[in-house]
Amino acid sequence: MPTKIILDCDPGHDDAMALLLAWGSPEIELVGVTTVGGNQTIDKVTRNALAVARVAGIHGVPFAKGAAHPLLRPVEVAEEIHGASGLDGPVLPEPDIELDPRHAAQFIVDTVMAAEPGTITLVPTGPLTNIALAMRLEPAIVGRVREVVLMGGGARVGNWSPVAEFNIVVDPEAAAAVFAAGWTVTMVGLDLTHQALATDEVVAAIREIGTGPARFAGELMDFFTAAYREVAGFDHPPVHDPCAVAYVIDPTIVRAIPAPIAVETRGEHTLGMTVVDLRGPAPEGTRTQVALELDAERFWGLVLDAIRALGDPLVERVD
Ligand code: BDR
Ligand code: CA
């Protein structure tokens, strides 16, 4: 039985890769895609999500637009990394699907409450605003969600500050609420995602597939590589968001350990830090875990298989 997920994202180059991986993997049933303001404004990331859907041939899946800004703080985007559109690099096709009329938070509530308890996994790959809003709208979702597998945070490293990661620090109050809620949370953070590097060999293997989605992914990775080189001094970019999807597909490619995790919302120098207590065995009943190591070879194998499985949707349509 495939695992049902709602992908809550802010595309974003790596969010786009997460969408391709989710749609191209038989182990996943994509029951909805929700968007959240993050890498770019909500209108831009929503448009980008719909464009990726067109490239990947995603159909029959509701897309719902969510929060424009964090719970308490002003909008902060990652233009240096993702460009003015939020998805610079490839030419984006015109979207061909209509948005679901509901707010993303309402969509999440409706979907989780209508499903069998314990069957829906939330996979947030942007700021946690929509998830926090959904919890506020209907607290009962906490007991019904199977697991939250999120890309964000880091036990030992930050990127938006020395100690904080972008998705967490732009809406730390939302993140604090999500980590403290009492559901099972797997934090796929920078400790792990910095092992998911799009090396030259990886990008060449993607291109080799030769289809529209493969070309699209290759162009995304070219822009992402240049941005990470210039802004962050990486030779090859860490492709964060699909790591969360990969964990859902096959948890054995990740080493994760239970640990208490709290989010700093007041620190002068530590705002948005995910404080992970790794001092000893986690206390009984700890529901949060931190992902630390990735089998990068198997991870990229999943991504390549998924892109292959997508075929060439735009070409097939024209025929
Ligand atoms: C995270 O921030 C965003 O820029 C990426 O899409 C990813 O979700 C990495 O810190
Ligand atoms: Ca993201």
Side-chain angles (χ1 to χ4, degrees):
M1 277 280 279
T3 305
K4 294 180 197 299
I5 73 164
I6 298 175
L7 185 65
D8 183 62
C9 58
D10 61 336
H13 295 68
D14 50 337
D15 301 83
M17 296 295 281
L19 258 172
L20 299 184
L21 177 59
W23 185 245
S25 300
E27 300 86 350
I28 297 280
E29 182 183 339
L30 192 57
V31 297
V33 177
T34 49
T35 58
V36 60
N39 285 324
Q40 260 300 352
T41 58
I42 187 66
D43 286 337
K44 289 183 181 180
V45 301
T46 303
R47 193 209 172 275
N48 294 345
L50 296 177
V52 176
R54 180 112 199 252
V55 172
I58 299 176
H59 52 83
V61 176
F63 278 63
K65 175 166 139 179
H69 48 76
L71 295 183
L72 303 180
R73 295 170 194 266
V75 171
E76 189 175 344
V77 298
E79 186 151 330
E80 308 91 288
I81 299 285
H82 298 277
S85 71
L87 204 57
D88 277 13
V91 175
L92 302 178
E94 276 308 308
D96 65 348
I97 46 180
E98 293 268 312
L99 279 176
D100 190 282
R102 288 167 288 182
H103 188 283
Q106 187 66 55
F107 173 82
I108 292 168
V109 167
D110 292 350
T111 309
V112 171
M113 296 310 287
E116 279 291 303
T119 57
I120 304 273
T121 297
L122 301 181
V123 184
T125 61
L128 291 158
T129 322
N130 287 339
I131 311 298
L133 289 172
M135 281 167 44
R136 266 292 162 90
L137 265 179
E138 180 46 274
I141 65 168
V142 170
R144 294 179 70 101
V145 159
R146 172 170 155 160
E147 187 179 1
V148 180
V149 179
L150 64 89
M151 191 283 133
R156 304 185 181 109
V157 58
N159 60 6
W160 216 243
S161 85
V163 295
E165 182 278 332
F166 177 79
N167 289 340
I168 304 298
V169 75
V170 300
D171 197 346
E173 287 75 19
V178 169
F179 276 99
W183 45 16
T184 302
V185 178
T186 297
M187 180 174 102
V188 180
L190 299 175
D191 312 274
L192 178 129
T193 65
H194 283 180
Q195 297 161 52
L197 300 171
T199 60
D200 295 345
E201 297 73 46
V202 163
V203 179
I206 291 174
R207 280 223 159 76
E208 184 107 328
I209 296 170
T211 57
R215 275 191 299 281
F216 183 77
E219 286 168 16
L220 286 176
M221 291 301 97
D222 287 347
F223 183 90
F224 211 39
T225 302
Y228 257 95
R229 271 188 195 154
E230 195 177 316
V231 177
F234 279 67
D235 284 340
H236 304 290
V239 188
H240 311 276
D241 295 337
C243 295
V245 176
Y247 174 78
V248 177
I249 295 172
D250 182 357
T252 70
I253 68 169
V254 162
R255 185 173 77 84
I257 57 170
I261 303 174
V263 177
E264 177 59 77
T265 55
R266 278 172 298 192
E268 189 184 349
H269 303 289
T270 54
L271 181 71
M273 180 177 183
T274 43
V275 180
V276 182
D277 190 349
L278 292 171
R279 289 174 297 176
E284 190 89 11
T286 299
R287 302 285 301 271
T288 47
Q289 59 169 350
V290 55
L292 293 172
E293 276 165 39
L294 176 71
D295 184 331
E297 205 174 312
R298 284 170 62 210
F299 165 73
W300 286 114
L302 290 180
V303 173
L304 290 165
D305 285 349
I307 294 176
R308 264 183 224 109
L310 296 173
D312 221 342
L314 284 175
V315 171
E316 282 152 23
R317 256 183 195 214
V318 171
D319 293 349

